[in-house]
Amino acid sequence: MIASEILAKGVEQGIISAEQAERLRALEDVREPPELPASPDDEQLRFIGGFSDIFVTIGLAMFLGAIGYFSLQGGKLGMWIAIAITAWLLAEFFTRLRRTALPSIVLLIVFAVAVFIGASIFLGAGISPYSYPLTPMGMFGINSNEPTLLAIAALLTVLLTAVHYWRFGVPITIAAGCGALTGTVIGLVYGLAPELSPVAHNAVILVCGIAIFALAMRFDMADPQRLTRRTDIAFWLHLLAAPLIVHSLIKGMVTVASKLSPGSAAAIMAVFLALSFVAVLIDRRAMLVSGLSYAGFAFWTRISQAGFSDMTTPFTILTLGAFVLLLSAGWRPLRAGILGIVPSALTRRLPQPGLSTA
């Protein structure tokens, strides 16, 4: 608002009348309140700073793709080394100097993937992709029958992503390092104890997922108002932990849709509801999203087994969509109710519904 001194000078110089000055002063009493900041339970994400980030990301994709194409003349190892070095050099400008959001995330992911695949090829896990065309690693020229070598490559990725975080401090880097460390553990288990049953392998994945979830909660509880970069680090860790936990819990129940027993379908729905409770409690939707596909699969199976095969898919999508919309609309009151039955020692370290970040 205009200062009183300026209004007084305006009256003295005849620019405005005394009555007009009083009316201007009265506007201070009826001005609109400032817009309130977002509540911490809105789960704000610093993912994109503007359309400029999208524009830069498109350029990065084209530039890195071209670098990969030209460096392929020196072999697959040379290509991935060139991509990793280029991603690092581009991060020096777009991450360290410009502090862009989306380009920094993309450059980190490209760097980590390039390091892992390049290290795998260097260690001898890489062969012609035509020998293993149907495996995910085979499409990148990696022999997935060498889990121990892949574990070493993943460990090297952990070390280099740690250096990347020390240099650039991108929040997603910690999740990328944890993902690579999980790959190291799983690779060592598969390589050193291949005779273990699928249940034991799922148990290893579950333990890794719970460990990452615990680390994410440590960052979350250190910033319950979600004002610092810790909340971004926690978001990416939750996004990594959720599929590890959900997949390892439900994988053994899912075989073929037509052979999924009613008991297994009910168990999957029970697991999904339990995960939904945890997601609402900690105010993180990643775990809920990870379980949606399995919940939809179980619901689809039950509808199909009930004899409604003609409308199975649309009815399943309708039900899941309605569930997501209803949960979104009632997220805050539902959290308030859940927080009311949870011990206060835990709730005071979690985001409170409806609180302002001011």
Side-chain angles (χ1 to χ4, degrees):
M1 296 298 292
I2 303 176
S4 298
E5 295 80 3
I6 300 298
L7 293 175
K9 288 183 179 179
V11 173
E12 291 175 1
Q13 298 179 11
I15 299 175
I16 59 175
S17 65
E19 181 184 357
Q20 290 173 328
E22 290 299 324
R23 290 168 63 185
L24 287 173
R25 291 190 183 96
L27 288 177
E28 287 189 341
D29 299 329
V30 296
R31 61 183 177 179
E32 295 182 359
E35 184 179 353
L36 293 176
S39 170
D41 60 354
D42 284 335
E43 202 173 357
Q44 298 291 315
L45 174 63
R46 300 172 184 88
F47 183 73
I48 184 170
F51 191 78
S52 174
D53 281 11
I54 299 177
F55 187 71
V56 172
T57 303
I58 294 173
L60 290 175
M62 293 188 292
F63 186 79
L64 289 170
I67 290 294
Y69 176 80
F70 288 113
S71 59
L72 185 59
Q73 307 301 321
K76 290 185 177 64
L77 177 60
M79 179 187 71
W80 291 112
I81 291 176
I83 291 176
I85 293 175
T86 304
W88 182 288
L89 294 177
L90 289 171
E92 290 287 347
F93 179 76
F94 289 106
T95 301
R96 189 171 175 82
L97 297 180
R98 292 282 299 275
R99 308 305 299 178
T100 56
L102 182 59
S104 298
I105 294 172
V106 172
L107 287 172
L108 178 274
I109 294 174
V110 170
F111 174 78
V113 171
V115 167
F116 173 68
I117 298 176
S120 300
I121 296 174
F122 176 77
L123 292 171
I127 59 172
S128 172
Y130 302 105
S131 300
Y132 296 88
L134 299 180
T135 62
M137 292 301 176
M139 291 186 291
F140 291 106
I142 297 175
N143 181 356
S144 57
N145 291 334
E146 297 291 345
T148 305
L149 295 179
L150 294 180
I152 298 174
L155 182 59
L156 179 60
T157 305
V158 173
L159 298 177
L160 290 182
T161 51
V163 176
H164 193 283
Y165 183 76
W166 171 80
R167 177 66 174 172
F168 302 109
V170 182
I172 193 178
T173 310
I174 294 181
C178 288
L181 186 59
T182 300
T184 302
V185 173
I186 295 174
L188 288 176
V189 170
Y190 272 87
L192 301 179
E195 70 282 354
L196 289 179
S197 65
V199 174
H201 288 151
N202 286 336
V204 172
I205 298 175
L206 178 61
V207 170
C208 292
I210 293 175
I212 296 172
F213 174 79
L215 180 61
M217 289 305 303
R218 180 175 181 180
F219 281 103
D220 257 343
M221 290 184 171
D223 182 23
Q225 293 299 312
R226 295 184 174 172
L227 297 173
T228 68
R229 63 198 311 271
R230 292 190 186 96
T231 186
D232 295 330
I233 295 173
F235 169 82
W236 294 110
L237 287 172
H238 280 297
L239 200 63
L240 172 64
L244 295 175
I245 295 174
V246 173
H247 183 70
S248 58
L249 284 175
I250 299 179
K251 181 181 178 183
M253 306 178 191
V254 177
T255 53
V256 181
S258 59
K259 296 181 180 180
L260 185 64
S261 66
S264 296
I268 291 174
M269 296 301 296
V271 170
F272 175 71
L273 291 177
L275 294 174
S276 300
F277 177 86
V278 175
V280 175
L281 173 64
I282 67 175
D283 194 27
R284 287 296 184 183
R285 294 156 178 83
M287 187 169 294
L288 189 61
V289 172
S290 296
L292 275 177
S293 59
Y294 288 106
F297 181 77
F299 193 74
W300 182 90
T301 302
R302 295 304 302 272
I303 296 175
S304 179
Q305 291 173 348
F308 299 98
S309 56
D310 292 339
M311 60 183 71
T312 300
T313 300
F315 192 71
T316 300
I317 295 174
L318 175 66
T319 304
L320 290 179
F323 174 79
V324 171
L325 292 177
L326 289 173
L327 186 60
S328 299
W331 188 272
R332 291 188 182 183
L334 182 59
R335 281 204 74 232
I338 292 177
L339 291 175
I341 62 175
V342 174
S344 58
L346 173 62
T347 58
R348 64 170 172 260
R349 303 189 66 184
L350 296 173
Q352 302 300 309
L355 289 180
S356 170
T357 56

